[in-house]
Coordinates of all heavy atoms in Angstrom, one line a residue:
S135 N 3.2 13.5 -13.3 CA 2.5 13.4 -12.1 C 2.9 12.1 -11.4 O 3.8 11.4 -11.9 CB 0.9 13.4 -12.4 OG 0.2 13.3 -11.2
G136 N 2.4 11.9 -10.2 CA 2.8 10.7 -9.5 C 2.0 10.5 -8.2 O 1.3 11.4 -7.8
L137 N 2.2 9.3 -7.6 CA 1.5 8.9 -6.4 C 2.5 9.1 -5.2 O 3.5 8.4 -5.2 CB 1.0 7.5 -6.5 CG 0.3 6.9 -5.3 CD1 -0.9 7.8 -4.9 CD2 -0.2 5.5 -5.6
Y138 N 2.2 10.0 -4.3 CA 3.1 10.4 -3.2 C 2.6 9.6 -2.0 O 1.5 9.8 -1.5 CB 3.0 11.9 -3.0 CG 3.9 12.5 -2.1 CD1 5.0 11.8 -1.5 CD2 3.8 13.8 -1.7 CE1 5.9 12.4 -0.7 CE2 4.6 14.5 -0.8 CZ 5.7 13.8 -0.3 OH 6.6 14.4 0.6
F139 N 3.4 8.7 -1.5 CA 3.0 7.9 -0.3 C 3.3 8.5 1.0 O 2.4 8.6 1.9 CB 3.8 6.5 -0.4 CG 3.2 5.6 -1.4 CD1 3.4 5.7 -2.8 CD2 2.5 4.5 -1.0 CE1 2.9 4.8 -3.7 CE2 1.9 3.6 -1.9 CZ 2.1 3.8 -3.2
R140 N 4.5 9.0 1.3 CA 4.9 9.3 2.6 C 4.8 10.9 2.8 O 5.8 11.6 2.8 CB 6.3 8.9 2.9 CG 6.5 7.4 2.7 CD 7.9 6.9 2.9 NE 8.1 5.5 2.7 CZ 9.3 4.9 2.7 NH1 10.4 5.6 2.9 NH2 9.3 3.6 2.6
N141 N 3.6 11.3 3.0 CA 3.3 12.7 3.2 C 2.9 13.1 4.6 O 2.4 14.2 4.8 CB 2.2 13.1 2.2 CG 0.9 12.5 2.5 OD1 0.8 11.4 3.1 ND2 -0.2 13.1 2.1
A142 N 3.0 12.2 5.6 CA 2.5 12.5 6.9 C 3.3 13.6 7.6 O 2.8 14.2 8.6 CB 2.5 11.2 7.8
H143 N 4.5 13.9 7.1 CA 5.3 14.9 7.7 C 4.7 16.3 7.6 O 5.1 17.3 8.2 CB 6.7 14.9 7.1 CG 6.7 15.3 5.6 ND1 6.4 14.4 4.7 CD2 7.0 16.4 5.0 CE1 6.4 15.0 3.5 NE2 6.8 16.2 3.6
L144 N 3.7 16.4 6.7 CA 3.0 17.7 6.5 C 2.1 18.0 7.7 O 1.6 19.2 7.8 CB 2.1 17.6 5.2 CG 3.0 17.5 3.9 CD1 2.1 17.1 2.8 CD2 3.6 18.8 3.6
E145 N 1.8 17.1 8.5 CA 1.0 17.4 9.7 C 1.7 18.4 10.6 O 2.9 18.3 10.9 CB 0.8 16.1 10.5 CG -0.1 16.3 11.7 CD -0.3 15.0 12.5 OE1 0.5 14.0 12.2 OE2 -1.2 14.9 13.3
P146 N 1.0 19.5 10.9 CA 1.6 20.5 11.8 C 2.2 19.9 13.0 O 1.6 19.1 13.7 CB 0.4 21.4 12.1 CG -0.5 21.2 11.0 CD -0.4 19.8 10.6
G147 N 3.4 20.3 13.3 CA 4.1 19.8 14.5 C 4.8 18.4 14.3 O 5.5 18.0 15.2
H148 N 4.7 17.8 13.1 CA 5.4 16.5 12.9 C 6.9 16.8 12.9 O 7.4 17.6 12.2 CB 4.9 16.0 11.6 CG 5.3 14.5 11.4 ND1 6.6 14.1 11.2 CD2 4.5 13.4 11.3 CE1 6.6 12.8 11.1 NE2 5.4 12.3 11.2
P149 N 7.6 15.9 13.7 CA 9.1 16.2 13.8 C 9.8 16.1 12.4 O 10.8 16.8 12.2 CB 9.5 15.1 14.7 CG 8.4 14.1 14.8 CD 7.2 14.8 14.5
A150 N 9.3 15.3 11.5 CA 10.0 15.1 10.2 C 9.8 16.3 9.3 O 10.5 16.5 8.3 CB 9.6 13.9 9.5
G151 N 8.8 17.2 9.7 CA 8.6 18.4 8.9 C 9.1 19.6 9.4 O 8.9 20.7 8.9
S152 N 9.8 19.5 10.6 CA 10.4 20.7 11.2 C 11.8 20.9 10.8 O 12.6 20.0 10.8 CB 10.2 20.6 12.7 OG 10.9 19.5 13.2
G153 N 12.2 22.2 10.6 CA 13.6 22.5 10.3 C 13.8 22.4 8.8 O 13.3 21.5 8.1
W154 N 14.6 23.3 8.3 CA 14.8 23.4 6.8 C 15.5 22.2 6.3 O 15.2 21.8 5.1 CB 15.6 24.7 6.5 CG 17.1 24.6 6.9 CD1 17.6 25.0 8.0 CD2 18.1 24.1 6.1 NE1 19.0 24.8 8.0 CE2 19.3 24.2 6.8 CE3 18.2 23.6 4.8 CZ2 20.6 23.8 6.4 CZ3 19.5 23.2 4.3 CH2 20.6 23.3 5.1
L155 N 16.4 21.6 7.0 CA 17.2 20.4 6.5 C 16.2 19.2 6.3 O 16.3 18.6 5.3 CB 18.3 20.1 7.5 CG 19.3 19.0 6.9 CD1 19.9 19.4 5.6 CD2 20.3 18.7 8.0
R156 N 15.3 19.0 7.3 CA 14.4 17.9 7.1 C 13.4 18.2 6.0 O 13.1 17.2 5.3 CB 13.7 17.7 8.5 CG 14.5 17.0 9.5 CD 13.7 16.8 10.8 NE 14.4 16.0 11.8 CZ 14.4 16.3 13.1 NH1 13.7 17.2 13.5 NH2 15.1 15.5 13.9
R157 N 13.0 19.4 5.9 CA 12.1 19.7 4.8 C 12.8 19.5 3.4 O 12.2 19.0 2.5 CB 11.5 21.1 4.9 CG 10.6 21.3 6.0 CD 9.8 22.7 5.9 NE 10.7 23.8 5.9 CZ 11.1 24.4 7.0 NH1 10.6 24.0 8.2 NH2 11.9 25.5 7.0
A158 N 14.0 19.9 3.4 CA 14.8 19.7 2.1 C 14.9 18.2 1.8 O 14.9 17.8 0.7 CB 16.2 20.3 2.2
A159 N 15.1 17.4 2.9 CA 15.3 15.9 2.7 C 14.0 15.3 2.1 O 14.1 14.4 1.3 CB 15.7 15.3 4.0
K160 N 12.9 15.8 2.5 CA 11.6 15.3 2.0 C 11.5 15.6 0.5 O 10.8 14.9 -0.2 CB 10.4 15.9 2.8 CG 10.4 15.3 4.2 CD 10.1 13.8 4.2 CE 10.0 13.3 5.6 NZ 9.7 11.8 5.6
G161 N 12.1 16.7 0.0 CA 12.0 17.1 -1.4 C 10.7 17.6 -1.9 O 10.5 17.6 -3.1
D162 N 9.9 18.1 -1.0 CA 8.6 18.6 -1.4 C 8.7 19.8 -2.4 O 7.7 20.1 -3.1 CB 7.7 19.0 -0.2 CG 7.3 17.8 0.6 OD1 7.3 16.7 0.0 OD2 6.8 18.0 1.7
S163 N 9.8 20.5 -2.4 CA 9.9 21.7 -3.3 C 9.8 21.3 -4.8 O 9.3 22.1 -5.6 CB 11.3 22.4 -3.1 OG 12.3 21.5 -3.5
I164 N 10.1 20.1 -5.1 CA 10.0 19.6 -6.5 C 8.6 19.5 -7.0 O 8.3 19.6 -8.2 CB 10.8 18.3 -6.7 CG1 11.3 18.2 -8.2 CG2 9.9 17.1 -6.4 CD1 12.3 17.1 -8.4
L165 N 7.7 19.5 -6.0 CA 6.3 19.4 -6.4 C 5.7 20.7 -6.9 O 4.6 20.7 -7.5 CB 5.4 18.9 -5.2 CG 5.8 17.6 -4.6 CD1 5.0 17.3 -3.3 CD2 5.7 16.4 -5.6

Side-chain angles (χ1 to χ4, degrees):
S135 179
L137 181 54
Y138 188 11
F139 281 76
R140 299 176 183 177
N141 64 334
H143 64 282
L144 294 164
E145 181 180 16
H148 194 290
S152 61
W154 71 269
L155 187 58
R156 284 185 174 139
R157 288 195 299 272
K160 290 295 181 181
D162 289 344
S163 64
I164 208 168
L165 301 177

